Amino acid sequence: MKPFLSLTRRLSSPLAGTLHSTRRLHLSAFAPSTPRLRFQISQTNKKKPEKMSTDATTLKGQPLDKAALESMLRRRLFYTPSFEIYGGVSGLYDYGPPGCALQANVIDLWRKHFVLEEDMLEVDCAVLTPHDVLKTSGHVDKFADWMCKDPKNGEILRADHFVEDVLEQRLKGDKEARGLQVEEKEETDKKKAAKKKKNKGGVEAVKLDDAVVKEYEEILAQIDNYNGEQLGELIKKHDLRNPATGLQPTPPVSFNLMFQTSIGPSSNLPGYLRPETAQGQFLNFAKLLEFNTGQMPFASASIGKSYRNEISPRAGLLRVREFLMAEIEHFVDPEGHKKHARFHEVADVELAFLDRHTQLSGSTVVKRQTIGQAVKDGLVDNETLGYFLARILLFLRKIGIDEKKIRFRQHMDNEMAHYACDCWDAELHTSAGWVECVGCADRSAYDLSVHAKKTGAPLVVRQRLEEPITVEEWDIVIDKKNFGPFYKKDGKTIENALLATTQEQRGKLVKELEENGKVVIDVSGVNDGKVEVSKDLLAIKWVKRVENVREYTPNVIEPSFGIGRILYSLMEHNYWTRASDGGDEARGVLSFPPAVAPTKVLIVPLSSNKDFTPEVRKLSQKLRSAGVSSRIDDSSASIGKRYSRNDELGTPFGVTIDFQTLKDGTVTLRERDSTRQVRAEEDKIIVAIKALVDGTKTWQDVESELPLFEGQQEVEVTVR
């Protein structure tokens, strides 16, 4: 899994081409490791409300009231802070019934769209991971973010976010000042001075030089490309100070994001809660290849929890310490140029690209292009990577993400994971800006190679050749009779290191062996990392042999999905407000597609009349038998209020049982977004609901087939 995930705030339209200030939060670009400081990270959820300027809109184009949305989501128990009665813990959340159902439905569609459609091999691997596994993969040394500390109040700040926040506030103040220029010409000096004071939003209106504005914008456009030292230089150069204390923070230091633990009562086996699901898939590669009868290419998939000790989780569901991931590892032969047999099926799918060169130039202009052309032009490295980028877009579109708020951003060199040779993020525009929700990385052969080198396990593919080939190469010959007793417990590790050397390295070792009578090799975890092997225990010979089998290490293309971030983006993209007939406060609506809606049908008896009870139970049972989830609301509230309450839950359809039902067995079916209704026999309504939920029919199809019903109004009076 790539260094997941980034959250970017652009104070501009998701479709705009002009550069504006940027905020990108990312769950860690791997950075050079430094000793971990034992700074205390605040655990409480109690914090000052974050004031965020946003241009996010609702599904209907209304300005998004994020506070109203989040209040509704918590009130309707989509999610809630974990351990809230104990004060809560930052970055930890619980999902309630509608949140669980929404997540389950998205995961179900993910499985159908990827695992079933692509014939993937799904695995469920352990969360607890031994230290050696993550040391070998590079996470122990490199899975880190840069943090700094306020010298006065001890506040821990994530360095890149700190730089972004301060520069964004300065740019915002510049905009405020520029917007006041015309009025200031006719104002007194006293009024001018007053306007330079902080406005209601806490932003100081100070006009900046055009060159400074340009420099700030260029910094923000490539904020992910800075390492710790460079971030520290930016803080000093631009005199960036913590608004809470007016002081510059300490120089950035590396903070490893993994939760460390001990496995077993003796505490002799150090381990971590996994930061990604990918490593379990790599370690099981040989078994999966055998299960797949040795056929290549193939893909494995895994859905499960991962854990990251975030420095400053202050973005709700967008930045948490425990989260659900869905990851795919597609194993491919590198000699086939990473072609994909089904690429032609998606070649005409158009995506919005933000490549690394555009970002480095200080711009955020996206380029709309078909994936076929992007691969042909070399913008996307290969067909397999391109195929999955297109499939990611189709999945996001299917679950209800607004396609106008999707872009694919290429990682810059400095933010690239240590294992990746190319990486693109599917970013979704929300009230928090551009949020990285899916990463798609070309991991090359890194993971399988390092684990094979460490363990000696044959994480390779053996392909029988149609024609034998003659191979001439350097061959390692070890005196196993004496090698093991000489190196004792380290013998196997040293042997694996020798066998993992490349032909180029072996050529150099031959000369070293001849000149010195010994070689010195790098062996991680043994002595000081250097081991001497004498010519009495080792020989390197030039051999010629005929091979009938080709052996190679596959490359890996990895799409990695942050389910929690997708869920939150989905809720924002499908939220809108409907004006109340009575002039009351506008009511929230979540227009989820039927396939992902937590509950598909609301059953509403017209009143509390006991004669309706058998009909309600019968309809509920029929819907369950058809595999359609439903809820019954037989409260004393009006029909309108009951429907409105379930519009907040995203329930797409409502069935009303009234006195006409008792006479002829007909019921009304209401559609959430239009509030239009049809009336027909109960069985016909169930068939229509099933087709709507399965996606084989639209509401327009149902309206054309069943009689419209306009006799019942959603009035705000209680029906008795």
Side-chain angles (χ1 to χ4, degrees), residues 107 110-111 115 122-124 274 277 301-305 324-327 563:
I107 288 295
W110 189 89
R111 278 195 169 99
V115 179
E122 186 172 352
V123 295
D124 185 3
R274 67 183 180 192
T277 70
S302 186
I303 301 169
K305 290 287 187 74
L324 187 66
M325 297 181 70
E327 293 191 291
I563 300 300

Side-chain angles (χ1 to χ4, degrees), residues 38-110:
R38 295 185 177 274
F39 290 159
Q40 184 175 357
I41 307 297
S42 173
Q43 296 294 308
T44 180
N45 269 324
K46 297 179 180 179
K47 59 181 183 295
K48 294 180 181 179
E50 185 176 355
K51 295 178 180 178
M52 182 176 291
S53 174
T54 176
D55 60 353
T57 57
T58 68
L59 179 65
K60 303 295 184 180
Q62 307 151 321
L64 177 68
D65 186 339
K66 183 176 181 179
L69 169 61
E70 293 192 342
S71 174
M72 185 188 81
L73 293 175
R74 295 196 186 194
R75 173 168 49 82
R76 302 317 307 267
L77 206 54
F78 276 87
Y79 68 93
T80 186
S82 301
F83 320 111
E84 190 168 23
I85 64 174
Y86 277 87
V89 179
S90 296
L92 297 178
Y93 291 90
D94 299 332
Y95 287 109
C100 283
L102 180 65
Q103 177 176 267
N105 293 337
V106 168
I107 288 295
D108 180 60
L109 277 183
W110 189 89

Side-chain angles (χ1 to χ4, degrees), residues 261-274:
T261 186
S262 297
I263 303 173
S266 65
S267 300
N268 290 332
L269 182 58
Y272 300 89
L273 299 182
R274 67 183 180 192

Side-chain angles (χ1 to χ4, degrees), residues 6-167:
S6 94
L7 165 67
T8 306
R9 174 159 46 116
R10 304 268 180 204
L11 302 180
S12 60
S13 165
L15 302 179
T18 30
L19 173 67
H20 291 271
S21 59
T22 306
R23 177 187 210 176
R24 177 167 293 122
L25 266 157
H26 57 123
L27 258 152
S28 106
F30 287 168
S33 178
T34 58
R36 182 187 305 177
L37 296 187
R38 295 185 177 274
F39 290 159
Q40 184 175 357
I41 307 297
S42 173
Q43 296 294 308
T44 180
N45 269 324
K46 297 179 180 179
K47 59 181 183 295
K48 294 180 181 179
E50 185 176 355
K51 295 178 180 178
M52 182 176 291
S53 174
T54 176
D55 60 353
T57 57
T58 68
L59 179 65
K60 303 295 184 180
Q62 307 151 321
L64 177 68
D65 186 339
K66 183 176 181 179
L69 169 61
E70 293 192 342
S71 174
M72 185 188 81
L73 293 175
R74 295 196 186 194
R75 173 168 49 82
R76 302 317 307 267
L77 206 54
F78 276 87
Y79 68 93
T80 186
S82 301
F83 320 111
E84 190 168 23
I85 64 174
Y86 277 87
V89 179
S90 296
L92 297 178
Y93 291 90
D94 299 332
Y95 287 109
C100 283
L102 180 65
Q103 177 176 267
N105 293 337
V106 168
I107 288 295
D108 180 60
L109 277 183
W110 189 89
R111 278 195 169 99
K112 291 175 181 176
H113 187 84
F114 290 106
V115 179
L116 181 62
E117 178 68 23
E118 309 289 347
D119 198 23
M120 296 176 177
L121 309 179
E122 186 172 352
V123 295
D124 185 3
C125 302
V127 169
L128 280 173
T129 308
H131 172 274
D132 286 354
V133 173
L134 294 169
K135 177 69 174 178
T136 301
S137 69
H139 287 79
V140 170
D141 296 325
K142 300 177 181 178
F143 196 68
D145 274 339
W146 295 102
M147 72 175 185
C148 45
K149 181 181 180 181
D150 188 286
K152 183 175 181 180
N153 64 10
E155 181 182 4
I156 300 299
L157 305 165
R158 184 164 146 178
D160 56 340
H161 294 176
F162 170 72
V163 171
E164 289 173 294
D165 288 340
V166 176
L167 294 186

